[in-house]
Every structure is written in structure tokens, then in C-alpha cells.
Amino acid sequence: MSSSIPSSTSSSSAEPAVSVVIGSNAPRALDVCLAALEPQRDGAEVLVCEGEPSDDGLRSRFPWATFVASPGALVPELWRDGIERSKGRIVALTIAQMVPAEDWLENVVRTQQEHDAVGGAIDPGEGLRLVDWAEYFCRYSRDMRPFSASDDEELAGDNVAFKRDLLERHREHLKTGYWEPVLHPVLRRDGVVLWHTPELVVRQGRSAGFAAFARQRLEHGRRYGHQRGEHFSRARNLIGVIAAPLVPLLMTVRVLRRVWAKRRFRRQAVVALPLIFAFNAVWAYAEGRGHLDMLLRR
């Protein structure tokens, strides 16, 4: 059944109530994501910002979506591009691998009535392979239900929504992309509540595989080291380099603690443990390399 999202005015040229921005570097996953949005998209604008362009067949199947190609761009950069093109008074972000729940857009609008920034739950989808489980636990163990709604700076950009005027006020912090560790602390300092709720649900589908996620960890981890390191002293960046070998162990322990506390998917976490550790090692190496870059730059 199709649900209707109310537009901001009644005119035919009205701005949409919601702009959905999908950052996509996994075109093979897009069809499932868009199919889940189709019955609930009335009144919403859907922008697919692609670092790896999808084929013409998929674009023909979903003519109501606007496809924007930025070859080679990282997902945070694709989100930025979509935010800049968006027209809705609410901007909701996700990625191609996510499958929105059937009431996702409805809940985006409802939760935005009380909060300017809302992040939701990310649960595992169906038919996941071992590598998909490892990626899921590395990235989303803290967003797995159950959890209680709260103010939380670490909202995942893969399932988040903002009032567009809030993003416009902080445009300078989106120049290099929508990076959660850059924008969210700024919003928090400005008194914005970053609301984390289990009512706004997407599910992670199959990933693009081990190599693709490892490359992403390398790129994002190094950028994260740069983002933190530019505010650190030389001594603090040096500590970031020296401590890098300890980081995979700490990250993996944190994942297991969350999974055990939530009492879900424990068996999958144990089986995927070597891959979880490997992905965390890639991140730690990349973050340490980022701190080294900043150390050598000064």
C-alpha cells in the first residue's frame, strides 16, 4: 500500500516534504533499496548520487528517481552533493545497501516534528554472507536494536534525517562532504539534539564484498585521522601513530560487548570474528597513517 508524505504546500510546484539522498558506490544493491522506497515515496524527492554509475536498465525501472553521477567520489561526498541539490524541507540520508522499512519515510516526517536531527536503527537484512555480517558488526553494532531513544552524537549517516535549513546554516562544515565526526560535534556545541531512535529503521543488505569494504575502510580511516589530527598537537598525533596497533583489539572488543549486551546475533559475531578483526585492523592502519600525515605536515 502506498503511503503519502504531505508536501509543504498544496501548489503543484510545491517543494517536497522530504528529499531522500542515497549515496551509492554499490549499484547492484540499488534496486532493492529503491524498490523499498517506491510504495512510500509519494511527496518525496529521491536523489541517487553515484560514485559508480548504475546501468540504464535500473534507471529506466525507477524513472521517479534522479540519478547524479560523481565518478570516484566517496559516500560522504555523494551525500554532500545530494544535500546541495535537495529541495525538501527535510533531508534524509542513506546508502544503496540499505533497505528502508515500509514506514521509514512516514517515521522520518513524524520524528522531525520534534527533532531537527534524527538517526535511526540499522538491523541486518536477509541472506547476508559472512563478509556482510562482519561489515555489519564493524559499522552498525551500536545501531542494532534494541536500544533506548536518546541524544547521541554518533548518529550513523546511513540512516539519518535533518531539517534542511539546519544543514544550510552549517554549510561550511559540509565542504569536504557530510562526515559525521566533523558535523555532529558542531551541531552538539550549537545545542542541537541529535536524536537516536529505534523507530526509524533500515536493514543492511549484501555488501560489495571484502575488497570493496577494505578499500572504504582505508579511505575513510585515513580521512578520519586527518580530521582529528588537524586539531591535535604533534605529540598527540605521534600517540595516534604509536597506539595504532592496539586499536583493532579495542574496536573488536567494543563490538563484541555491544552484541552480547543486546543478546542478538551472537553466533554470527563469533563466526565472523576473524573478518571483524581484519576490517578493524585496516581502519587502525589507515587512521594511524592519517595521524602520520598530519605529523609530517607540520
Side-chain angles (χ1 to χ4, degrees):
M1 180 180 296
S2 175
S3 62
S4 180
I5 307 299
S7 60
S8 37
T9 71
S10 59
S11 73
S12 59
S13 60
E15 294 180 348
V18 184
S19 292
V20 178
V21 177
I22 303 171
S24 174
N25 274 323
R28 287 179 293 181
L30 257 178
D31 60 339
V32 180
C33 177
L34 292 173
L37 284 172
E38 189 161 26
Q40 54 182 305
R41 68 178 176 84
D42 289 351
E45 171 189 47
V46 178
L47 300 166
V48 182
C49 299
E50 300 181 288
E52 183 179 346
S54 54
D55 59 44
D56 292 339
L58 186 139
R59 296 183 179 209
S60 297
R61 182 182 170 192
F62 301 103
W64 42 266
T66 300
F67 292 81
V68 181
S70 300
L74 301 177
V75 166
E77 297 165 341
L78 297 172
W79 281 331
R80 173 205 59 205
D81 295 346
I83 290 169
E84 290 178 350
R85 289 173 173 266
S86 66
K87 299 176 182 177
R89 54 185 173 80
I90 299 169
V91 180
L93 307 179
T94 190
I95 60 173
Q97 295 94 320
M98 294 300 167
V99 182
E102 61 183 10
D103 58 354
W104 185 66
L105 277 175
E106 178 183 344
N107 283 330
V108 164
V109 173
R110 183 178 57 79
T111 55
Q112 281 286 325
Q113 293 174 358
E114 298 180 2
H115 302 284
D116 291 343
V118 180
I122 302 174
D123 274 357
E126 298 180 356
L128 299 188
R129 304 159 299 179
L130 187 62
V131 68
D132 304 321
W133 280 109
E135 179 174 335
Y136 175 79
F137 290 125
C138 284
R139 297 181 65 182
Y140 307 122
S141 59
R142 65 181 310 282
D143 301 297
M144 179 174 70
R145 295 180 294 178
F147 62 87
S148 299
S150 66
D151 185 8
D152 189 339
E153 187 175 302
E154 297 185 39
L155 302 181
D158 309 73
N159 183 20
V160 72
F162 298 94
K163 287 188 171 62
R164 186 155 60 96
D165 60 358
L166 177 66
L167 295 176
E168 289 176 347
R169 291 201 303 271
H170 294 87
R171 186 184 298 272
E172 63 182 291
H173 300 288
L174 296 170
K175 288 180 179 178
T176 63
Y178 164 62
W179 297 91
E180 299 99 317
V182 173
L183 179 63
H184 293 185
V186 173
L187 297 179
R188 174 64 64 83
R189 289 195 295 271
D190 285 353
V192 177
V193 173
L194 299 164
W195 194 243
H196 193 211
T197 173
E199 297 179 1
L200 191 65
V201 180
V202 298
R203 294 176 176 84
Q204 181 196 283
R206 287 193 171 190
S207 73
F210 182 92
F213 187 54
R215 285 195 300 271
Q216 183 189 89
R217 300 288 273 183
L218 282 171
E219 293 164 346
H220 286 213
R222 191 169 183 178
R223 189 73 67 90
Y224 182 68
H226 291 166
Q227 290 165 353
R228 299 184 72 205
E230 68 179 352
H231 303 293
F232 288 170
S233 66
R234 288 179 61 84
R236 180 63 183 82
N237 275 310
L238 180 60
I239 291 172
V241 175
I242 295 173
L246 298 175
V247 172
L249 178 61
L250 296 175
M251 293 176 72
T252 303
V253 168
R254 186 182 305 159
V255 166
L256 292 177
R257 283 179 175 171
R258 288 171 177 161
V259 173
W260 248 251
K262 296 186 179 187
R263 299 178 179 274
R264 298 180 71 197
F265 308 116
R266 291 175 173 178
R267 180 181 63 83
Q268 289 89 338
V270 170
V271 174
L273 191 57
L275 287 175
I276 294 172
F277 186 84
F279 284 141
N280 286 338
V282 171
W283 176 276
Y285 165 78
E287 183 182 343
R289 181 68 183 273
H291 286 294
L292 180 61
D293 292 342
M294 301 308 296
L295 185 64
L296 295 177
R297 189 176 299 177
R298 297 183 179 185

